[in-house]
Amino acid sequence: MACGAPPASKGTPSVLLVTIDTLRADRVGRGLTPAIDALAQEGVSFTNTRATVPLTLPSHVSIMTGTLPPEHGVRENGVHRFDGSRPTLARLFRDAGYTTAAFVGAYVLDRRFGLSDGFEMYDDRIPRDPRAPARLESERRADQVVVAALKWLAGADASKPLFVWVHLYDPHAPHAPPAEFLKTAGHRAYEGEVAFADSQVGSLIRDVRRKVGPDLVVALAGDHGEGLGEHGEATHGMLLYDSTLRVPFIVAGPGVQGGTRNDAPASLRDLAPTLLARAGLQAPATMTGVDVIAGASTDIYAETTYPRAAGWSPVRALVDDRWKLLSSSGPELFDLSRDAGEKENVVAQNASVAAAMRTRLDRIFESARTSPSATPDAADRLRALGYVAAAPSGRTPAGAPNPRDFISAWNRFEQALSLTASGRSAEALADLRTLAASFPSARVFQASYAQALKDTGRTPQALQFYRRLVSRWPDDATLFHGLALAARAAGERVEAMKAEQAALALAPDDPNAHNGLGLLHADAGRAADAAAAFEQATRLDSNNASFWTNLGNARRETGELAAASTAYQRAIDLDPRYADASNGMGVILVQQQRPMDAIPFFERAIAYDPAFHEARLNLGIALQESGETARAAEQYRKVVGAAPAGSREKRAASELLAALR
């Protein structure tokens, strides 16, 4: 961005909000974060701030709406979607004449989960693993997010105030910081990613100030912390100790006294009304947070319902200026004035304090919104497909254990998931089998074991396991989708179709189920039906390169080459390394009698996936049709030598090579 004199003050401040995923409060101010520390010196740092929930999506919904999870209804990543029923910061700033833009670093904040509401630009282009495009942990690095934000900023209308949200995901596990930042952090990977994120914060703030000038309010916050082994928790989401709740929260800009700090308790739901006040805007009555620069927050509430996935009890927390109550199956009370590390449970000695806090906690929880469940129509459709409908099972069964007592099992499960995410399901299978057997009520353990069975080629066992799971939990759309995938892999097309239709009866807006339905139609040669299903999938998840590629394949089968080309190009724009899309584009060009133009696409596909035998065969055909028979023969020989025996590619390459001879 060009340097020069910054714009003169226009009176109406622009607002930059930076959220950093998984950033603990105690990692700021220790030499790792010079840019964040400088911002704290300029403005006010709320050093006693807690997240409303230690999960990315619900925490950000609280940040954007100024409300608690029981009020906005989003409790877990990937399970719930913000429905727009509460006004967001973006909507309020847009309605006040601001230009609004967001740039996020993780798929868990994809627009399909609802937070794009009010943003005129919502950049959520996150590269996805073609083997698991729905994986919530897909991310892009902080430097890529910042480059995208600054590129947009360079062309933004400087005559209007801006509201820009930039989300950096890097401190989230798995931790793999650039080498220089790993060294800076003493080879501690989490701290290295914190340092890397801070370096990008510095670049971002500097360039935004060059664009905007003196009228800029900057707010920075973590969305939740990270366990790092404290209280036995390796990551976050299961427990509500301050290792995963306390986060930095800083506001700087016009009217904010520099170098101040506020140690009074604050909540991330206070961020939205605090920012609106700095811009001179009135917070709506629906925002239950407060402007913490003008006055203190009271009764800091937090929750996690995530333990229900393992059949364990949810946890709720209430914090005041001295005490912290954790409510689950077995309460814990901590006197934070002398036990900041939450080591000593003093509930027995302070029963009246705990009872009073529990009453206040229950009053907050009574505002809870129920999440949408299967409608009577969905139940009828399930019965018509041969499945027994059931009431939603989101409620916690009586006597469910406290997740703190089984956190080591959860850590073991997360390690197994890391293996499966890296394509090493065989190494995770034994642990997943043990966990599934030890915790029969843990739906997530059961489903992950079934998935690992399928991934390791144990398709019959996976199919039988999924059948048992949907019988036990017939309200879970993801289990029906898993059953459909296993049935398709086993060649049970009729069962796969029924299971995918059951998933859609429960979750009509599930893009993965629509994509699965499309694949089943394509298997049966129903290209038009497949295209319709893939259209739905891309409408619901427009950033998924595999869905666009599938749509391109279906459109190519129906003879709609222009539409197919558009779909392939969309996939390539989303993920230039997606080999299937490049191969599909090359096939279109060959069909259009443009083999020379097709060659680079096939070469790109092979470069990204050297074992992509179909693309290599197609490259040989394009070379042959371009008159380069020697190079074509070379590609055919490579296919013959590497493709599996009996495969279509091996047979075709042999025949084409023989014809050339």
Side-chain angles (χ1 to χ4, degrees), residues 45 64 93 142 149 179 219 238 283 306 323 357 392 469 478 484 507 541 647:
S45 176
M64 291 295 174
F93 277 120
M238 280 285 140
Y306 194 30
W323 301 98
M357 293 187 76
L469 295 185
T478 61
D541 185 359
S647 65

Side-chain angles (χ1 to χ4, degrees), residues 89-154:
L89 273 176
R91 193 195 307 172
L92 294 165
F93 277 120
R94 183 198 63 193
D95 292 349
Y98 279 65
T99 298
T100 57
F103 304 85
V104 302
Y107 170 61
V108 72
L109 296 176
D110 186 272
R111 68 185 65 233
R112 63 175 292 226
F113 301 118
L115 270 182
S116 61
D117 178 50
F119 285 105
E120 297 160 295
M121 156 65 78
Y122 195 83
D123 185 340
D124 53 356
R125 294 170 294 177
I126 312 298
R128 312 272 272 280
D129 183 348
R131 299 167 299 175
R135 184 173 294 141
L136 293 176
E137 292 77 16
S138 299
E139 64 175 297
R140 57 176 169 172
R141 280 190 3 169
D143 50 353
Q144 297 169 340
V145 177
V146 169
V147 165
L150 294 178
K151 182 178 179 180
W152 173 86
L153 185 69

